[in-house]
Amino acid sequence: NSAFGGTGSYNTLSAIKPGAVWATLIPDGKVNINAGLLDVTMNGLSNELFGDGTINAQYIKAVQPALGVTSTLQGLESIVISPDGKQIYGIDPLSNAVVVVNADDLSQRQLIKNGDTVKQGAGTIVASGLSAVSDIAISVDGNTVYVASSDDNLITVFHRDSVTGQLSDLIEAEYSSNVTSITVDGSFVYAADGNKVAVFDIQSNGALTPHSSDISATDIDRVFAAGDFVYATSTASDTLF
């Protein structure tokens, strides 16, 4: 209606900016509205009645298209919680990924997949040791997160930001055997590799160096340290060491 600033003829609204709302004035009495969007699968307005005593607001609902991609994560194999209780850290072996989740609302904070770049000082570094991640552990002070890879034979060391929970500044500790499980206790990291429990000393920057001796065992698949004891399990022999 030109009396209200219109052109006096029908116009096609080709687009709406993100966050914008399309609205129209309804004259006194009643009127039927048809509205929709071209080339979009949606539930539009078809001869919808508006006016006094009727519904005065209605919505055009677009159907989310099929994106043709798999879910970001396939599921978490192992998780740890930060000592301050703010974040949950988990691994997804099928996606070769480490994920950081906010504990208060379970929202995803960070996702690092094998081959991704992460912050390293003033620059970046490629996280190349996350193929078939097998276990994850966190230091007692919460400053360091350790991720084992059974394919790459690596334990990747991440610095953890105590404020945001973000992971960065990784260090890769090469290891010659198939690491299936890791655990942290005080100043040591223990890694199960099948025929022994390897012991690493934790340096001031979180990096790992081999300890003077390992713990001999057979068919070890999981390891857990608590106080003065280190426990290891063997699924093959149904044994607790």
Side-chain angles (χ1 to χ4, degrees), residues 112-113 115-121 124-130 144-145 154-160 167-173 205 207:
I112 304 173
K113 290 189 175 184
D116 286 352
T117 57
V118 297
K119 179 180 175 293
Q120 182 86 344
T124 60
I125 189 173
V126 175
S128 58
L130 302 178
T144 313
V145 172
L154 291 174
I155 298 175
T156 301
V157 183
F158 289 98
H159 168 73
R160 173 181 175 266
L167 300 180
S168 64
D169 300 291
L170 68 87
I171 304 170
E172 291 180 346
N205 65 345

Side-chain angles (χ1 to χ4, degrees), residues 143-183:
N143 293 330
T144 313
V145 172
Y146 301 91
V147 180
S149 165
S150 58
D151 277 5
D152 294 321
N153 298 326
L154 291 174
I155 298 175
T156 301
V157 183
F158 289 98
H159 168 73
R160 173 181 175 266
D161 189 301
S162 60
V163 177
T164 65
Q166 296 280 107
L167 300 180
S168 64
D169 300 291
L170 68 87
I171 304 170
E172 291 180 346
E174 293 191 17
Y175 190 57
S176 60
S177 300
N178 181 12
V179 183
T180 58
S181 175
I182 56 174
T183 185

